[in-house]
């Protein structure tokens, strides 16, 4: 059994992360093999996550980097002060976008490698929803979209990571407003649902094509 485990270890050292030890025996060798397989599962998950992170970073950062480079090149050769200033302002916007993307990718990486600190605390969802709605109500109004909010008067309290809840709501509202036509509506709602809580964003936008539904939670689909 030890020779077999050494053979598996050698294969893994060569880069084959799919190998697993036979763990069907009930003795110490079986226990050792199961511990080894658990370790290889963790290693494979971590390396896969890192590969995905690198792919995500390359995918997400390419566009703002290209735009930043273009604006700086144009600013460097532009003689008109007003036009040059506009190029510089666009470059600054892309720098801010890069900062946001980098922070989001780092958070994603920490979540998937289970290394994000547990920052859960008591959150009053009603206050959070009202505060978030204020950021988007005026944006919807400018685009001719009716913005609705449905929140109970009583406090709705949960234990959660407030920053992650807020980020989720902002992502949903961004998309809802972006893909809803003029004279449409976007609703942000909250209600108690038995022993749990239901929080939703609903809109009259174009929706998601049926053929894309199975891939809804795939990375960057």
């Amino acid at each position: 059994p030890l020779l077999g485990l050494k053979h598996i270890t050698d294969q893994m050292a060569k880069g084959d992360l799919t190998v697993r030890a036979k763990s069907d025996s009930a003795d110490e060798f079986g226990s050792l093999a199961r511990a080894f397989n658990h370790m290889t599962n963790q290693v494979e998950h971590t390396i896969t996550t890192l590969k995905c992170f690198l792919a995500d970073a390359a995918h997400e950062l390419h566009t703002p980097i290209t735009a930043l480079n273009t604006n700086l090149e144009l600013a460097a050769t532009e003689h008109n002060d007003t036009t040059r200033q506009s190029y510089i302002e666009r470059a600054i916007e892309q720098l801010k976008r890069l900062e946001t993307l980098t922070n989001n990718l780092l958070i994603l990486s920490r979540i998937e490698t289970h290394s994000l600190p547990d920052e859960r605390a008591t959150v009053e969802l009603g206050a959070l929803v009202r505060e978030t709605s204020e950021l988007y109500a005026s944006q919807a109004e400018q685009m001719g979209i009716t913005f609705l909010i449905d929140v109970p008067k009583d406090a709705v309290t949960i234990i959660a990571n407030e920053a992650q809840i807020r980020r989720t709501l902002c992502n949903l509202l961004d998309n809802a407003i972006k893909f809803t036509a003029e004279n449409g509506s976007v609703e942000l709602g909250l209600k108690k649902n038995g022993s749990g809580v239901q929080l939703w964003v609903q809109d009259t936008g174009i929706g998601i094509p049926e053929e894309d539904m199975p891939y809804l939670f795939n990375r960057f689909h």
Side-chain angles (χ1 to χ4, degrees):
L2 289 177
L3 288 175
L5 189 58
K6 180 184 180 302
H7 176 67
I8 295 292
T9 305
D10 290 340
Q11 287 181 271
M12 189 176 178
K14 293 177 181 178
D16 185 359
L17 301 179
T18 64
V19 294
R20 296 294 184 270
K22 292 183 180 180
S23 58
D24 49 359
S25 64
D27 56 14
E28 289 93 338
F29 292 116
S31 178
L32 179 62
R34 286 187 289 274
F36 177 85
N37 288 341
H38 177 71
M39 178 194 70
T40 54
N41 287 336
Q42 294 296 322
V43 170
E44 184 177 18
H45 171 74
T46 300
I47 291 179
T48 301
T49 300
L50 288 173
K51 287 180 178 179
C52 289
F53 174 76
L54 289 173
D56 293 343
H59 172 85
E60 286 293 286
L61 299 178
H62 181 265
T63 300
I65 287 175
T66 301
L68 175 62
N69 184 61
T70 300
N71 284 307
L72 289 176
E73 286 182 349
L74 290 170
T77 57
E78 179 58 55
H79 299 293
N80 182 281
D81 290 342
T82 302
T83 305
R84 182 169 62 249
Q85 183 62 30
S86 70
Y87 289 140
I88 293 173
E89 289 173 358
R90 290 179 192 174
I92 292 172
E93 288 177 6
Q94 295 304 323
L95 276 174
K96 291 178 180 178
R97 183 181 175 191
L98 278 171
E99 183 180 14
T100 300
L101 283 172
T102 302
N103 289 336
N104 287 341
L105 284 168
L106 287 172
I107 290 171
L108 175 63
S109 176
R110 289 169 184 165
I111 289 173
E112 294 192 337
T113 55
H114 309 293
S115 59
L116 192 69
D118 186 353
E119 297 177 340
R120 288 177 295 176
T122 301
V123 179
E124 207 290 274
L125 277 180
L128 188 148
V129 167
R130 292 187 190 91
E131 183 182 331
T132 305
S133 68
E134 292 176 1
L135 301 173
Y136 291 90
S138 59
Q139 181 181 337
E141 184 180 356
Q142 291 172 7
M143 298 177 67
I145 298 170
T146 302
F147 191 91
L148 306 170
I149 179 171
D150 182 8
V151 180
K153 294 180 180 179
D154 297 335
V156 179
T157 304
I158 63 170
I159 302 298
N161 184 316
E162 183 174 345
Q164 297 293 351
I165 294 285
R166 190 185 303 276
R167 181 176 289 107
T168 301
L169 276 180
C170 289
N171 285 344
L172 291 171
L173 288 168
D174 273 333
N175 282 327
I177 293 173
K178 184 187 299 182
F179 294 106
T180 297
E182 189 176 0
N183 298 321
S185 65
V186 172
E187 181 181 30
L188 173 57
L190 168 69
K191 69 178 180 181
K192 292 183 178 179
N193 186 7
S195 61
V197 170
Q198 186 175 356
L199 182 62
W200 73 89
V201 173
Q202 184 172 325
D203 62 71
T204 59
I206 60 176
I208 300 172
E210 190 68 29
E211 61 270 20
D212 285 334
M213 293 298 286
Y215 312 106
L216 186 59
F217 294 102
N218 284 16
R219 307 168 71 87
F220 298 101
H221 184 82

